Each structure stands twice: as structure tokens, then as C-alpha cells.
Amino acid sequence: MVHSFKRILREGDHGNVRVGEGLHHYLIRKPHLEPQYLEVERKPHPHETLKGAENKGDCNMGTSANAIASDRSASVHKGVDYANYFCTYAFLYHQKEMLSDRVRMDAYFNAIFENKHHFSGKTVLDVGTGSGILAIWSAQAGARKVYAVEATNMSEHARALVKANNLQHVVEVIEGSMEEVTLPEKVDVIISEWMGYFLLRESMFDSVIHARDCWLKPTGVMYPSHARMWMAPIRTGMGDHKMGDYHSAMDDWHNFVDETNTYYGVDMSILTKPFSEEQRKYYLQTSSWNNLHPHQVIGTAAIIKEIDCLTATVTDIEKVRSKFSLSVTTENTKFCGFGGWFDVHFRGRSEDPAKHEIELTTAPSVDFGTHWGQQVFLLHPPVHVSEGDDLKVSFLMSRLKENHRLMEVELGCEIQQRSGKLLAPLKNKFYIE
Ligand SMILES: C[S@@+](CC[C@H](N)C(=O)[O-])C[C@H]1O[C@@H](n2cnc3c(N)ncnc32)[C@H](O)[C@@H]1O
């Protein structure tokens, strides 16, 4: 998968690009890149050290965690990363999608304005300011100075927005990648909306870690301060649908092989196996975006990862490994797969806590769905389970070698029925693309 990222994948089924099966797949599989975003030349901001290799992801003040991030940022080809990832954020319609997510907006708004003591008279760094919204709120909450760093030329819109709201004396918008920006001072608060699908997709938290290690004062506060990943067993009709799509794709292939042989005299059947593998991966092994109804969750949910944003290192988040148990709480039902989601919290730090802790959750909800929705990992075929059955799950999520912003997941599951009978263990590999 290339190109799509949040612009497409984080939109859910609201907004002007629908994440329905057809369009979603089309956009992912037939990326068209805006040429102007492929070769970007921009003038360095006074705070940005563009050329010097000595500053490539290294603030010269970092910890060992920072050194790891530096290595990685050096190994990722910047042009490719820009084309695959950043360019989508340069579109206002994509920023608008995020700005229209009421759950997300309310959480950040309340976190800032119900904890003005963290902002009043303080210096703030907004990592990935996008339209500038979090920087503007920080200034409105009384910040003395806000550095608003944005990698794309969305920074120009952010600067205009800041000026139109008369905050240009407080908010300084800096176009540049966080890893390459030099600030004139350390800050009291780092605020950022860095969360991708299932929390860690996009790997943007690496840049926040880097910013924290370089620019946060020892007494500083992270917004958000904590994050968690969750998983639960679910039932859904999506699996049948995906299997139908896979079979249609194969029927279509067989017709294609016949016709190519008949009309053009070439036997393509040697490619049937790799085509089938490609389609299986696409339809059956790629996790899906969904806004699950809470009734679709058929058992207990487990926390599979907890992150303290003040102390986490890139090594801590590069791989997520977890073993956990779930109990089925629904009588006679189909166990069709797992739903994964996340929450983040705004708690301040223990020596300087939030006055009002705020939670932003992307758990299944009827009234409070988010553009992140949940990631669904489907089992083919589903398994019949009942209340009291136990699931022992092993989970490993790693970054793709060819694109560190995408993930692969290995999921194993042993089902022990209430009677004590053990079912054949399940083992699956998935891709979060
Ligand atoms: C999810 S958006 C959030 C935008 C805005 N803060 C908001 O809450 O609406 C993340 C933004 O961070 C920017 N970004 C991601 N990584 C960055 C980095 N390393 N340096 C600068 N900007 C970055 C992206 O271009 C994007 O505009």
C-alpha cells in the first residue's frame, strides 16, 4: 500500500472519500501521487537546519532512545516517506476530516481548557501542527510562546489561520520535519495528535519521542500523557463478505486465463497460484477499518500495550508483543475475529498532574464513533463459541521492513471450551495497511 494513509484510511465512512470496499481498495491499490508533492523544494525556516548532516535527527542533547530514532530517520528515504505519507496531510480536505471528528476535537479541547495551569505563561511545542488547531488552542489557553512544527506546506494555511485569529505574536509556525528543526529554547509542554490506526500505525510517535528527548524541559508535560491498545473478540458479517470478494476475484482470474489463451495464445495459468496468494493477502489477511457496534463485541477486552508518553522509547513501541486471555461472554455465537482499538489520556505528570483528566477513546460506541474506528482482524472461517469459553491469545505487531509506517501482526489463539475441551489452535498473519 502506498500513498493513502490517513487521508483515506482515517476518514471512515464520513467525509468526501468513503471507506467502502470499492473506493477504499481502488485508492490504495491504484495510488496516484500529486506530482507537486513528490519533488518538494522548500526554503528552510530560520529554526530549521536543513542541510547539515550533523543535525539529521539528532538534537545533540538526546538520550539513547533518541539515538535509535536518529538511526531510523536516517535510514528512511525522505522523498519516499514524503510521497507515501506526508503528502496526504498537505490537503485541507484531509485536515478537515480530522477537525470534524467531534470525539477527537472535544478531547483535546477539554484537555487544554480544563487544564489551563499547564499552558498559562508556558512554552508549548505542537508536533505536527497540521492546520494549527492545537497550537491555536494552546495560545488561547494563555501560552507565552507556541512552536507549531509541520512537515508539509499545510504550514502556510496554519500560519494564515494563526494570523486570522490574532495569535501571530504567540504562535510561530515552522515548516520542517520535527527531526530537523532547531528551537531557540526548551518547552514546558509537548502537544501532538500522533495516533494512527490501532494507535501505532504511521509510526508518528517516533517523532514525538524525538521532540521530547530534544526539547522538553525536565519538568515538562506531555499531551497526551498515556496511551493504551485494546483487543476483544468480535462477531461480524465482514468475513463472509471478504471471502465472497476473494472468490469473485478468483473467478474473474480464471475467465481471464481462458480468454487470454483463446484470443492471444498465451497460457497464463502458471500465475494462478501467485495471483491467488496476492488476493488472499489482500482480501483475507489485511485488517479492515470498521466502526463496530458494542453488541458485536462478544467477550472481555484486554489491554495489550500501555505507553507512558513521558518515558517510552522507540524500542518500546517498535514491536508490540503480548499474551493475554479473553473470556467469551455471549451465548452461542460466532467468533469471527478480533477488534483492536486504542485510548489516550491527558493526565499531566505525577509531580504536575492534570486538574481534570481527559480520556479520548476509540472503543466501539454507538454515539461516539471516531474517524479511527477499530481495526478488525478476521478469522476464516469463524468458530462457534459460547459464554464461558476462554481464549488464550498471543499477539505480535511489527513494522513492515519496506515501510516502517505500516504494520504486520501475528495472531495466535487457543480456544478452551467451558467443558474443558481444547479446540485446534488458530494462527494467522495480518497486515495493517
Ligand atoms: C494527525 S495530523 C494532526 C494535525 C493537527 N495537529 C490536528 O490535531 O488537527 C498529524 C500532522 O503531523 C504532521 N507530521 C507528522 N510527522 C511529522 C514530523 N516528523 N514533523 C513535522 N510534522 C509531522 C503531518 O504532516 C500532519 O499534518
Side-chain angles (χ1 to χ4, degrees):
M1 198 285 294
V2 286
H3 178 53
S4 56
F5 275 94
K6 284 187 195 167
R7 171 173 152 217
I8 293 142
L9 293 180
R10 287 181 56 169
E11 280 167 348
D13 53 3
H14 43 268
N16 49 2
V17 177
R18 182 180 59 87
V19 177
E21 297 306 296
L23 184 54
H24 175 67
H25 289 170
Y26 175 78
L27 284 164
I28 292 169
R29 304 184 96 189
K30 300 201 175 146
H32 104 80
L33 299 173
E34 307 289 330
Q36 69 267 36
Y37 296 116
L38 288 175
E39 287 175 34
V40 178
E41 269 192 42
R42 42 184 187 77
K43 291 199 178 72
H45 182 276
H47 289 168
E48 190 187 4
T49 316
L50 266 186
K51 289 225 161 64
E54 71 285 357
N55 198 36
K56 219 177 184 184
D58 187 357
C59 54
N60 299 323
M61 298 178 244
T63 63
S64 55
N66 176 43
I68 292 166
S70 310
D71 287 352
R72 180 160 302 93
S73 69
S75 70
V76 176
H77 188 284
K78 277 174 67 182
V80 173
D81 203 31
Y82 198 91
N84 283 354
Y85 175 63
F86 284 113
C87 70
T88 61
Y89 280 121
F91 292 92
L92 270 174
Y93 89 83
H94 182 213
Q95 297 286 341
K96 177 175 162 286
E97 290 299 326
M98 296 180 286
L99 298 170
S100 308
D101 181 330
R102 293 294 301 269
V103 174
R104 184 191 93 108
M105 293 294 275
D106 286 358
Y108 274 87
F109 182 87
N110 292 333
I112 295 169
F113 288 101
E114 293 186 20
N115 292 291
K116 279 189 178 175
H117 65 294
H118 278 150
F119 293 86
S120 189
K122 302 289 176 61
T123 46
V124 179
L125 167 58
D126 178 6
V127 180
T129 201
S131 63
I133 186 74
L134 304 182
I136 288 173
W137 282 342
S138 301
Q140 288 174 339
R144 173 174 68 74
K145 180 80 190 174
V146 183
Y147 300 101
V149 178
E150 170 56 41
T152 71
N153 59 5
M154 183 54 56
S155 61
E156 287 165 26
H157 294 308
R159 209 167 283 125
L161 204 58
V162 165
K163 196 158 180 234
N165 285 274
N166 288 321
L167 292 166
Q168 66 276 18
H169 53 290
V170 179
V171 180
E172 183 167 348
V173 177
I174 303 168
E175 185 177 322
S177 126
M178 192 63 242
E179 288 77 359
E180 295 178 334
V181 161
T182 304
L183 302 183
E185 60 181 329
K186 292 209 171 194
V187 298
D188 300 294
V189 181
I190 288 184
I191 192 163
S192 182
E193 198 278 78
W194 50 267
M195 298 85 73
Y197 278 164
F198 204 17
L199 191 66
L200 293 176
R201 184 180 171 279
E202 297 183 34
S203 299
M204 185 182 155
F205 191 53
D206 292 15
S207 303
V208 178
I209 290 176
H210 179 86
R212 180 200 68 198
D213 291 348
C214 290
W215 304 112
L216 190 66
K217 289 180 186 170
T219 51
V221 182
M222 298 293 288
Y223 270 68
S225 59
H226 296 82
R228 298 184 298 190
M229 292 167 72
W230 292 81
M231 262 199 144
I234 59 155
R235 61 183 167 198
T236 170
M238 279 176 101
D240 293 344
H241 186 68
K242 295 271 177 195
M243 189 56 92
D245 286 345
Y246 165 72
H247 285 303
S248 300
M250 289 313 297
D251 289 347
D252 186 52
W253 170 264
H254 292 303
N255 286 338
F256 160 79
V257 169
D258 287 348
E259 285 180 6
T260 310
N261 208 356
T262 306
Y263 296 116
Y264 301 110
V266 176
D267 180 3
M268 296 281 226
S269 56
I270 188 72
L271 300 181
T272 297
K273 189 162 174 275
F275 183 79
S276 163
E277 283 163 3
E278 181 189 291
Q279 297 300 301
R280 283 193 80 82
K281 180 177 173 192
Y282 179 61
Y283 284 113
L284 309 180
Q285 287 185 271
T286 304
S287 64
S288 307
W289 183 96
N290 206 232
N291 232 335
L292 294 166
H293 190 285
H295 288 162
Q296 291 179 267
V297 176
I298 59 164
T300 54
I303 296 170
I304 61 171
K305 179 78 179 169
E306 290 191 86
I307 296 173
D308 181 340
C309 300
L310 202 54
T311 56
T313 65
V314 175
T315 311
D316 292 338
I317 57 166
E318 239 170 359
K319 282 193 191 313
V320 177
R321 199 184 292 274
S322 179
K323 282 189 192 299
F324 54 96
S325 297
L326 303 169
S327 303
V328 177
T329 52
T330 309
E331 202 62 68
N332 283 324
T333 188
K334 273 186 183 173
F335 169 32
C336 300
F338 295 92
W341 63 88
F342 68 87
D343 55 26
V344 298
H345 292 86
F346 299 85
R347 294 190 191 130
R349 62 187 291 154
S350 48
E351 313 88 303
D352 186 10
K355 292 212 165 93
H356 297 278
E357 282 188 16
I358 301 294
E359 179 188 66
L360 164 52
T361 178
T362 65
S365 166
V366 176
D367 298 320
F368 299 105
T370 69
H371 73 292
W372 286 285
Q374 296 83 39
Q375 282 296 295
V376 171
F377 304 88
L378 293 164
L379 297 175
H380 300 284
V383 183
H384 180 265
V385 293
S386 207
E387 189 174 2
D389 292 353
D390 278 330
L391 313 176
K392 284 203 176 10
V393 187
S394 64
F395 176 93
L396 173 63
M397 185 168 92
S398 336
R399 299 172 177 194
L400 291 191
K401 280 190 200 74
E402 55 276 23
N403 185 343
H404 74 294
R405 298 189 184 275
L406 302 180
M407 310 286 156
E408 59 185 28
V409 169
E410 286 169 40
L411 258 175
C413 181
E414 286 174 12
I415 304 173
Q416 182 162 38
Q417 292 181 327
R418 194 171 37 183
S419 64
K421 186 180 168 198
L422 268 176
L423 303 188
L426 310 170
K427 205 166 188 295
N428 288 286
K429 186 162 186 173
F430 296 96
Y431 301 88
I432 307 180
E433 301 211 317

